[in-house]
Amino acid sequence: MDFSSFLTSLGTSFVIFLVLMFLFAWLSRRPSNHVIYYPNRIMRGMDPYEGIRLTRNPFTWIKEAVSSTEADVIKHSGVDAAVYFVFLSTGTVYITVNYLKIEGIGKCNCKLNIHTHELEIGALGILVFSGILLLPVLLPIAYTAKNKIDANETTSEGTFNELDKLSMGHIAQKSDWLWAFVAATYWVSFVTYYILWRSYRHVSNMRAEALMSPEVKNEQFAVLVRDIPAPEKGQSINEQLESYFKAIYPDTYYKAMVITNNKVANKIYAELDGYRKKLARAEVIYAESKGTANPEGTRPTTRAGFMELIGKKVDALEYYDKKIRELVPKLESEQKIALKDKQQSAAVVFFNNRVTAAAAGQCLHDTMLDKWTVMDAPEACQLLWTNLSKNFYERLIRQYVVYFIVFLTIFFYMIPIGLISALTTLANLEKLVPFLKPVLEQSMIRTILGAYLPQIALIIFLALLPSFLLFLSKAEGIPSQSHAERAASGKYYYFSVLNIFIGVTVGHTLFDSFKAIEDNPNSVFDVLAASLPGSATFFLTFVALKFFVGYGLELSRIVPLIIFHLKKKYLCKTEDELKEAWAPGDLNYGTRFPDDMLVLTIVLCYSVIAPVILLFGVLYFGLGWLVLRNQVLKVYVPSYQTYGRMWPHMYNRVAVSLLLYQATMVGYFGAKEFIYTPVLIPLPILSLLFIYFCTMKYYRFFQSTALDVACRELKETPNMEGVFRSYVACSLSTEKTAEVVQFVDDLAHVTRPGSAV
């Protein structure tokens, strides 16, 4: 790609973003679209424009996003969203801005006030502070260097362009000017250490403040117990739990809820819920059919066969009502069977004191590791019920099997990604699809396809992966949805780095790279470092496409808007169906964070080699901060809260990216034949020590709740029966829940194996 093509692609991306932003400003003001652009506010009972100044200015949302505080984010979307913004900023670095505001213009009592506001800046913090030194120092050095660019060091895959003059490739081999780039490598590393340190400390304080809250949080009074040993003869699991925990916590133990196998009950419950929705829909259709011409209306019909597609036609209202009346007693019967005969070796144990629950969740309860595994209970809505009963050894085996599958996935995905990188070049397309040659020879089409085709193909190819990785993570036996998403996020990150960053980097010299590694297996980082310059333009365009087009689509919400209006017009009849159609979901950290980390990894690794990429990194994270700030305040609704447990995962991935950056820089300086390259060797060692120190200092609090935090006074005495019932599975909770639970309590105290009731 030549320089003009790069500028064309960048300009096109910017124009697309502006179009999408103006479209957002126009569409978001239409009342019929409020459920798409303000669902967070609507679901919290707020007016869409509450606290917002109505104006036709399309940039108003930017002012609202910038003026919002961390407390606003926590209030609207919880601590996890605020922690994500700490990552986007990668540090709580603040600039205090003083500005003048004249009040009472046009009146006699004009007043001049000075207002102070704190603006977060940001892997903004890392990139901004890195760029402060790298851009004004390295760019002039690179540009004024008198050196002929080697074909292997161009930033544009063998075609020299103006960007090469701004890169490290313009510096001659063994040149003394390379010392400036060595200093820059150290600068980026120390900036990252500083920002990560401040961020870890800030998130830890944020988590402590949230957990100290005087509000009652049900999960703070419960622990999850797994690997319960088989009870003694004549003793039920419930009695075993009561005797075991009462002996250890005699004053604070409240009650235990044994996990049951609800597979059949879940199936009946889902079927019953489906028929209730269909009945509500049929009632609306029947009511709409009544009119002046037909006051009696037309009763809707359905078919009584397979999936209601075949079979005899019947009255829908009577048919659905009959099915509901058949399923209700069937569900109640299955609930009793599950509670009596399908108990498993796991339970949720409740305490009337959150200090005791916090202590129990982090203590060793048995001399054997594979018995009485106790951990903090997640929120009830997060529990993956089918995983709770899996024993210690089954979980261990599943974990290693999943890791092996992930390894194979990463390895074999490199083949198609490498092929995509190779095949989507215009030269190869002309060879493979010769009938497209007349089209590809058009200058505008050639410019656009050359700029976007490889990136679009890669993005589409990767869209299928996250669901598969989430499925694998759940298959490990992980107990909660948030934990599964964190695990899937980690897998997706390593996949992205190994297959996209490294795969694309060596892809354009694929066979030469394999041959070099085959000849010398220890040359992996040297090969990667030597291949980095040739992929710089690809990644510049990739990052630009993601922040302009990606965030433009995120802000405008065109796809959800179209889907909603199609569903509203052709499918939705009831209020519940309408709510399901516009339900916004959450930020989806499992895929969003790895995408951000891929960009941060790319920018870090190229920050010294091609410092211009820092500008694109700042634009990506800065624009992302603005757009997503708007989205968490107005659009997304969190599906769970972990109070920042995602942060250590984020921190570790940034640290790994830093290590990769340092290792590749060592290799690149070696490729430059710089004899003082060993001066960079202390950097990876310093990074490992830094990671170890931060982990030892902060990580434990993210695993368990500190007792000093848990001991803070509550504003009201918790309703323990309400806490207990919040953990009852939906399929076991009906209008007669109280009777069912009472039945289980009586059963635990009266029934013995072999006894008669």
Side-chain angles (χ1 to χ4, degrees):
M1 183 191 299
D2 58 27
F3 190 59
S4 62
S5 296
F6 171 73
L7 290 179
T8 301
S9 67
L10 187 62
T12 305
S13 298
F14 180 66
V15 169
I16 291 172
F17 175 76
L18 286 179
V19 170
L20 291 171
M21 186 179 69
F22 282 108
L23 201 59
F24 157 75
W26 176 60
L27 291 171
S28 63
R29 295 184 61 83
R30 298 172 68 89
S32 60
N33 297 333
H34 283 174
V35 292
I36 297 299
Y37 295 103
Y38 303 99
N40 182 295
R41 290 171 171 266
I42 291 170
M43 294 179 74
R44 296 175 64 244
M46 296 173 63
D47 184 88
Y49 297 124
E50 186 175 325
I52 298 175
R53 181 185 174 189
L54 292 179
T55 175
R56 294 183 181 275
N57 186 347
F59 303 102
T60 301
W61 66 274
I62 297 176
K63 181 181 177 182
E64 294 165 3
V66 170
S67 63
S68 65
T69 64
E70 193 172 79
D72 294 328
V73 173
I74 294 173
K75 178 182 175 182
H76 286 78
S77 290
V79 175
D80 290 335
V83 168
Y84 176 69
F85 279 101
V86 172
F87 161 72
L88 284 183
S89 305
T90 313
T92 50
V93 184
Y94 296 96
I95 296 178
T96 300
V97 180
N98 293 323
Y99 61 94
L100 300 179
K101 182 178 179 183
I102 301 176
E103 298 180 354
I105 294 178
K107 302 176 185 178
C108 295
N109 55 341
C110 292
K111 258 192 325 185
L112 184 66
N113 288 341
I114 299 179
H115 294 260
T116 301
H117 182 65
E118 290 186 329
L119 298 176
E120 282 184 61
I121 65 170
L124 276 179
I126 292 174
L127 304 184
V128 167
F129 287 132
S130 297
I132 286 173
L133 180 70
L134 269 59
L135 291 173
V137 174
L138 297 188
L139 292 185
I141 291 174
Y143 191 79
T144 56
K146 296 179 180 180
N147 179 45
K148 185 178 179 181
I149 296 288
D150 187 271
N152 294 324
E153 295 192 281
T154 177
T155 61
S156 51
E157 299 192 13
T159 58
F160 174 77
N161 63 47
E162 292 299 314
L163 287 176
D164 293 327
K165 292 182 180 180
L166 302 176
S167 72
M168 191 175 168
H170 203 216
I171 305 296
Q173 306 272 43
K174 304 179 183 179
S175 170
D176 288 339
W177 284 115
L178 290 172
W179 277 109
F181 292 85
V182 170
T185 305
Y186 268 90
W187 172 254
V188 172
S189 299
F190 281 106
V191 163
T192 306
Y193 298 150
Y194 174 73
I195 297 295
L196 285 179
W197 171 262
R198 287 184 60 105
S199 299
Y200 220 141
R201 184 174 61 186
H202 175 63
V203 174
S204 182
N205 292 336
M206 191 193 305
R207 174 175 166 81
E209 187 175 345
L211 293 176
M212 287 177 186
S213 169
E215 302 290 337
V216 174
K217 298 179 177 67
N218 293 345
E219 65 275 10
Q220 289 188 311
F221 295 87
V223 293
L224 178 62
V225 183
R226 307 173 85 181
D227 307 312
I228 300 173
E232 297 178 0
K233 188 175 181 181
Q235 187 183 41
S236 69
I237 296 179
N238 217 330
E239 287 179 322
Q240 180 190 24
L241 284 164
E242 185 171 335
S243 63
Y244 183 82
F245 282 97
K246 268 193 173 180
I248 303 174
Y249 311 101
D251 300 323
T252 52
Y253 171 80
Y254 175 70
K255 194 184 288 187
M257 178 185 292
V258 181
I259 304 301
T260 56
N261 183 347
N262 302 333
K263 187 176 181 180
V264 177
N266 290 342
K267 184 178 179 181
I268 298 171
Y269 179 81
E271 191 177 358
L272 176 61
D273 190 51
Y275 280 122
R276 283 174 172 162
K277 289 179 180 178
K278 289 177 180 178
L279 178 60
R281 179 184 176 85
E283 287 172 345
V284 173
I285 293 172
Y286 179 49
E288 289 177 349
S289 70
K290 295 178 181 179
T292 307
N294 184 15
E296 294 297 322
T298 303
R299 294 180 71 85
T301 60
T302 187
R303 295 187 180 273
F306 175 71
M307 294 182 67
E308 300 182 17
L309 298 175
I310 58 174
K312 180 183 176 182
K313 268 193 175 184
V314 295
D315 183 292
L317 294 171
E318 293 178 358
Y319 178 73
Y320 296 143
D321 185 61
K322 178 185 175 184
K323 285 290 186 182
I324 291 169
R325 284 188 278 106
E326 288 176 357
L327 288 172
V328 168
K330 190 176 178 182
L331 177 61
E332 291 173 355
S333 174
E334 178 56 34
Q335 287 174 339
K336 293 182 180 181
I337 293 171
L339 292 168
K340 180 180 179 181
D341 301 326
K342 297 183 179 180
Q343 295 187 353
Q344 299 180 314
S345 58
V348 181
V349 175
F350 300 89
F351 301 91
N352 56 29
N353 182 291
R354 64 178 182 176
V355 175
T356 307
Q362 53 192 293
C363 290
L364 184 67
H365 283 77
D366 194 88
T367 56
M368 297 297 156
L369 191 63
D370 58 348
K371 293 180 181 178
W372 295 106
T373 303
V374 182
M375 64 181 69
D376 292 339
E379 293 173 310
C381 62
Q382 291 192 53
L383 285 173
L384 300 176
W385 298 95
T386 55
N387 284 348
L388 301 184
S389 62
K390 291 178 173 56
N391 64 49
F392 177 84
Y393 295 106
E394 183 183 357
R395 298 197 300 270
L396 199 62
I397 293 169
R398 281 170 170 265
Q399 188 178 42
Y400 285 117
V401 170
V402 166
Y403 285 170
F404 179 69
I405 294 172
V406 170
F407 170 78
L408 293 179
T409 302
I410 291 173
F411 179 78
F412 286 113
Y413 255 67
M414 286 188 74
I415 297 172
I417 284 181
L419 289 175
I420 286 174
S421 178
L423 295 178
T424 52
T425 61
L426 293 178
N428 286 331
L429 278 179
E430 289 177 353
K431 294 177 185 176
L432 295 171
V433 196
F435 62 84
L436 289 179
K437 191 172 182 181
V439 179
L440 296 175
E441 287 177 350
Q442 300 293 323
S443 59
M444 181 175 291
I445 293 175
R446 189 175 187 87
T447 298
I448 293 173
L449 287 180
Y452 289 118
L453 187 61
Q455 292 85 350
I456 292 173
L458 185 61
I459 289 169
I460 293 173
F461 186 75
L462 291 172
L464 306 173
L465 185 67
S467 297
F468 176 64
L469 294 178
L470 183 60
F471 166 78
L472 288 179
S473 296
K474 290 181 178 179
E476 292 181 43
I478 287 172
S480 68
Q481 179 69 23
S482 62
H483 189 175
E485 289 190 12
R486 291 197 298 273
S489 174
K491 296 176 180 68
Y492 191 36
Y493 163 75
Y494 288 115
F495 172 89
S496 298
V497 169
L498 292 172
N499 284 283
I500 302 174
F501 177 61
I502 296 178
V504 171
T505 297
V506 301
H508 70 283
T509 57
L510 191 62
F511 298 107
D512 292 339
S513 300
F514 281 151
K515 189 175 185 305
I517 294 172
E518 182 183 2
D519 294 340
N520 182 12
N522 295 324
S523 66
V524 174
F525 285 109
D526 292 338
V527 170
L528 175 61
S531 302
L532 276 172
S535 301
T537 306
F538 173 88
F539 285 123
L540 283 172
T541 311
F542 179 78
V543 174
L545 184 66
K546 285 183 76 68
F547 70 70
F548 275 141
V549 180
Y551 283 129
L553 289 170
E554 172 70 55
L555 180 66
S556 64
R557 288 179 61 79
I558 290 295
V559 176
L561 182 70
I562 293 171
I563 292 173
F564 166 70
H565 282 294
L566 288 174
K567 286 184 175 181
K568 182 181 179 181
K569 185 174 179 61
Y570 298 108
L571 298 176
C572 298
K573 294 294 182 182
T574 67
E575 285 297 320
D576 287 340
E577 287 175 340
L578 271 176
K579 286 180 181 178
E580 288 180 11
W582 60 256
D586 59 17
L587 265 176
N588 196 5
Y589 303 107
T591 55
R592 191 178 296 278
F593 168 68
D595 286 341
D596 294 337
M597 272 309 310
L598 174 62
V599 173
L600 182 59
T601 303
I602 291 169
V603 175
L604 270 179
C605 288
Y606 279 98
S607 60
V608 175
I609 295 173
V612 172
I613 203 171
L614 285 167
L615 297 174
F616 291 84
V618 169
L619 278 172
Y620 175 86
F621 286 102
L623 193 58
W625 189 97
L626 281 174
V627 170
L628 293 174
R629 195 78 157 194
N630 178 80
Q631 304 303 75
V632 300
L633 294 174
K634 301 174 185 175
V635 179
Y636 293 119
V637 178
S639 56
Y640 58 76
Q641 279 296 329
T642 65
Y643 305 102
R645 281 198 171 182
M646 185 82 168
W647 174 255
H649 166 89
M650 294 175 168
Y651 164 82
N652 287 335
R653 304 302 170 255
V654 176
V656 168
S657 295
L658 179 64
L659 284 168
L660 179 62
Y661 152 73
Q662 292 167 343
T664 51
M665 288 310 300
V666 170
Y668 192 63
F669 276 102
K672 281 294 206 178
E673 299 179 14
F674 187 57
I675 60 173
Y676 299 105
T677 299
V679 300
L680 294 174
I681 292 176
L683 276 179
I685 299 172
L686 282 173
S687 295
L688 291 172
L689 290 173
F690 175 76
I691 294 167
Y692 174 78
F693 182 75
C694 282
T695 301
M696 294 298 292
K697 183 175 179 65
Y698 293 114
Y699 180 63
R700 180 70 188 277
F701 178 48
F702 288 85
Q703 279 186 308
S704 307
T705 303
L707 301 187
D708 178 56
V709 169
C711 72
R712 303 309 168 99
E713 188 177 348
L714 294 169
K715 71 177 184 181
E716 61 182 7
T717 303
N719 177 4
M720 290 309 301
E721 193 59 28
V723 172
F724 175 81
R725 292 190 188 286
S726 69
Y727 278 84
V728 176
C730 292
S731 59
L732 300 182
S733 179
T734 67
E735 291 80 1
K736 297 184 178 181
T737 298
E739 296 177 20
V740 174
V741 174
Q742 185 60 48
F743 169 79
V744 179
D745 288 344
D746 293 341
L747 185 69
H749 291 92
V750 177
T751 306
R752 302 287 187 277
S755 66
V757 180

